[in-house]
């Protein structure tokens, strides 16, 4: 099974292409949909990499406080930026509240379905432009939105879960240590549970959210329709993402 690969975009740790994932009747197009952690440290080299990748749309899922503290470094790029704050925040922002990833993801799919729909609508109308979906880590909010986009387009469920689970390997080390230190400044102790919340991507977390969607609506597509996406938009999303065999 092909899985998404990290692209070494300077200033990022978890910038990946979901191209190549197996789907019903084809595969995900390469160079179309990217997922990433924060874009606030791109610099000249990082921005040049986005130009080479022909990125034209950026969907930013961070809350307002995150975006103010770490504004995307996009000066000089010809990109459309869509801000869709998920106010539940990232796992990192929930670090002192004792919440689990499973509970956080349940909140996203149940309380923020309108944000998911708007993100998928934007993706489906990108045309020839590549799209980057990102938050701070590129795993929680980004993970849910990208997973639902892929599943709506007919991508294999196991492939989507495997893609999600890759994230923690990219965040381990420098990114995670920096975030642990940052949140420690606010009095949150460094614990194994905190590290899972901030940098972990156990498959069970995504599975629990998908199980909730399927339990309530039958399929991801029906969930999205109930949340406001119409059949034509779903068809456009699938056509944009999937390269037919």
């Amino acid at each position: 099974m092909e899985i998404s690969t990290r692209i070494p975009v300077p200033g990022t740790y978890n910038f990946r292409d979901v191209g190549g994932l197996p789907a019903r009747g084809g595969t995900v197009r390469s160079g179309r949909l990217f997922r990433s952690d924060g874009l606030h440290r791109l610099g000249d080299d990082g921005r040049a990499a986005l130009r080479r990748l022909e990125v034209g749309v950026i969907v930013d899922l961070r809350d307002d406080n995150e975006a103010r503290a770490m504004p995307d470094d996009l000066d000089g790029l010809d990109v459309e930026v869509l801000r869709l704050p998920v106010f539940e925040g990232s796992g990192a922002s929930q670090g002192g509240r004792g919440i689990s990833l499973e509970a956080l993801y349940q909140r996203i799919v149940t309380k923020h379905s309108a944000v998911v729909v708007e993100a998928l609508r934007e993706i489906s109308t990108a045309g020839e432009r590549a799209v980057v979906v990102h938050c701070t880590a590129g795993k929680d909010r980004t993970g849910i939105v990208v997973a639902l986009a892929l599943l709506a387009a007919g991508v294999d469920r196991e492939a989507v879960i495997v893609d999600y689970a890759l994230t923690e390997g990219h965040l381990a080390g420098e990114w995670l240590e920096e975030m642990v230190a940052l949140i420690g400044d606010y009095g949150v102790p460094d614990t194994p549970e905190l590290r899972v919340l901030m940098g972990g991507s156990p498959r069970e977390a995504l599975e629990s959210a998908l199980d909730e969607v399927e339990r309530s609506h039958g399929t991801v597509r029906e969930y999205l329709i109930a949340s406001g996406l119409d059949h034509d938009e779903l068809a456009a999303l699938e056509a944009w993402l999937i390269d037919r065999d």
Side-chain angles (χ1 to χ4, degrees):
M1 177 191 302
E2 287 193 48
I3 52 178
S4 68
T5 54
R6 180 175 180 269
I7 299 172
V9 172
T12 70
Y13 294 84
N14 189 29
F15 194 106
R16 294 164 26 217
D17 186 351
V18 298
L21 294 177
R24 182 178 56 246
T27 56
V28 177
R29 300 178 194 275
S30 295
R32 277 288 171 93
L33 180 59
F34 300 102
R35 54 181 299 170
S36 183
D37 54 312
L39 303 178
H40 55 288
R41 293 185 282 201
L42 290 175
D44 291 340
D45 291 342
R47 291 192 297 271
L50 294 195
R51 288 192 193 94
R52 287 194 297 272
L53 294 170
E54 299 182 351
V55 171
V57 178
I58 292 173
V59 179
D60 182 357
L61 301 171
R62 297 174 301 163
D63 67 33
D64 294 342
N65 289 333
E66 292 169 286
R68 280 193 295 269
M70 298 176 287
D72 283 349
D73 183 14
L74 305 175
D75 288 351
L77 293 180
D78 182 16
V79 293
E80 175 188 356
V81 179
L82 182 66
R83 289 268 299 114
L84 290 175
V86 176
F87 290 103
E88 297 296 342
S90 64
S93 71
Q94 302 287 332
R97 305 182 190 181
I99 192 172
S100 67
L101 286 178
E102 287 83 355
L104 177 63
Y105 292 5
Q106 294 262 341
R107 289 185 186 180
I108 294 173
V109 298
T110 58
K111 296 180 180 296
H112 298 286
S113 59
V115 171
V116 173
V117 163
E118 189 57 33
L120 270 54
R121 185 175 286 130
E122 183 75 11
I123 292 168
S124 72
T125 59
E128 294 303 309
R129 299 174 296 172
V131 177
V132 176
V133 178
H134 89 94
C135 50
T136 294
K139 78 178 182 79
D140 302 323
R141 294 159 291 184
T142 296
I144 293 291
V145 167
V146 169
L148 293 175
L150 294 171
L151 290 165
V155 176
D156 176 75
R157 190 182 198 265
E158 177 63 16
V160 171
I161 292 168
V162 170
D163 171 67
Y164 161 80
L166 290 174
T167 298
E168 65 182 65
H170 300 308
L171 298 179
E174 185 176 357
W175 185 93
L176 182 56
E177 296 307 320
E178 181 179 319
M179 292 302 295
V180 167
L182 179 63
I183 201 168
D185 290 341
Y186 295 91
V188 179
D190 181 358
T191 64
E193 293 77 15
L194 176 69
R195 287 175 173 266
V196 170
L197 188 64
M198 295 177 68
S201 58
R203 60 179 293 139
E204 295 80 12
L206 180 58
E207 286 176 324
S208 70
L210 298 181
D211 289 346
E212 172 63 27
V213 166
E214 292 164 0
R215 186 164 46 247
S216 301
H217 295 88
T219 67
V220 167
R221 291 174 71 91
E222 290 301 321
Y223 160 79
L224 294 170
I225 289 168
S227 301
L229 207 63
D230 65 36
H231 290 279
D232 289 342
E233 289 169 327
L234 278 170
L237 176 66
E238 186 171 342
W240 186 83
L241 267 177
I242 307 302
D243 187 12
R244 297 297 173 197
D245 294 336

